[in-house]
Amino acid sequence: MSSNELAENAVREENEHESAGASPGRRRLLIAGIALLACFGLVGYGILATDDQPQQHAVPSAEVTYEVTGTGTVEISYLARGEAGATTVESGVRLPWTKSVPMPLGKAPTVSITLDGKGGQASCTLAIRDKHIQRATAVGAFGRATCTGEAQVRRG
């Protein structure tokens, strides 16, 4: 309801109160109250109807290094940046291959490798903050290996 409509309603109510015998002071108080509510409504709408987006806070992260060594051509899937830890896939990669990414704490960094049909031997290695976490090896045609860990808060 617009402020004009509120004012018209207040005048209408004032006229009704006059015919019913309401006191002039009470009518003024009623009109002032309605006008005040209209002002608060407009101010509240202006404050609440903002296009500003909530600010995102920095998420603590740890440096994760994925490394794949060996012979052959591989497909590599790994988790990369972001709170969701989006999966990135690189196909037809010739080895060796290394990638370092920041990983949000509490997320499980993972790298998976799959050799192509020609086979070979390849190993994936996962390090968090330069500390070796896991190593796995894939062998033969379409051999697979996965390395995973968890980026945690440092203690002490």
Side-chain angles (χ1 to χ4, degrees):
M1 190 178 263
S2 73
S3 58
N4 286 341
E5 291 172 325
L6 288 172
E8 288 173 10
N9 284 343
V11 169
R12 219 176 289 122
E13 287 181 21
E14 180 180 345
N15 290 338
E16 289 172 6
H17 284 292
E18 277 181 15
S19 59
S23 71
R26 192 170 191 173
R27 283 179 290 184
R28 288 185 189 123
L29 185 60
L30 177 63
I31 292 171
I34 291 172
L36 188 61
L37 283 174
C39 288
F40 280 134
L42 292 173
V43 168
Y45 179 78
I47 291 171
L48 297 177
T50 179
D51 289 337
D52 293 342
Q53 297 296 321
Q55 293 182 1
Q56 293 183 354
H57 299 287
V59 176
S61 62
E63 180 78 10
V64 173
T65 302
Y66 302 119
E67 183 176 13
V68 180
T69 58
T71 60
T73 303
V74 296
E75 176 179 277
I76 302 170
S77 300
Y78 61 95
L79 293 181
R81 299 177 183 177
E83 289 184 44
T87 301
T88 301
V89 177
E90 294 187 20
S91 298
V93 177
R94 294 201 140 298
L95 303 178
W97 175 91
T98 301
K99 186 76 159 187
S100 292
V101 297
M103 181 65 59
L105 297 181
K107 299 293 181 184
T110 302
V111 60
S112 297
I113 57 173
T114 304
L115 290 160
D116 66 8
K118 296 177 186 174
Q121 180 173 339
S123 296
C124 61
T125 303
L126 172 66
I128 301 174
R129 294 186 184 106
D130 294 324
K131 181 181 177 192
H132 174 77
I133 301 297
Q134 190 176 40
R135 179 182 188 92
T137 301
V139 179
F142 304 106
R144 296 174 181 249
T146 301
C147 293
T148 190
E150 186 173 341
Q152 297 179 347
V153 178
R154 286 184 179 171
R155 305 271 185 233

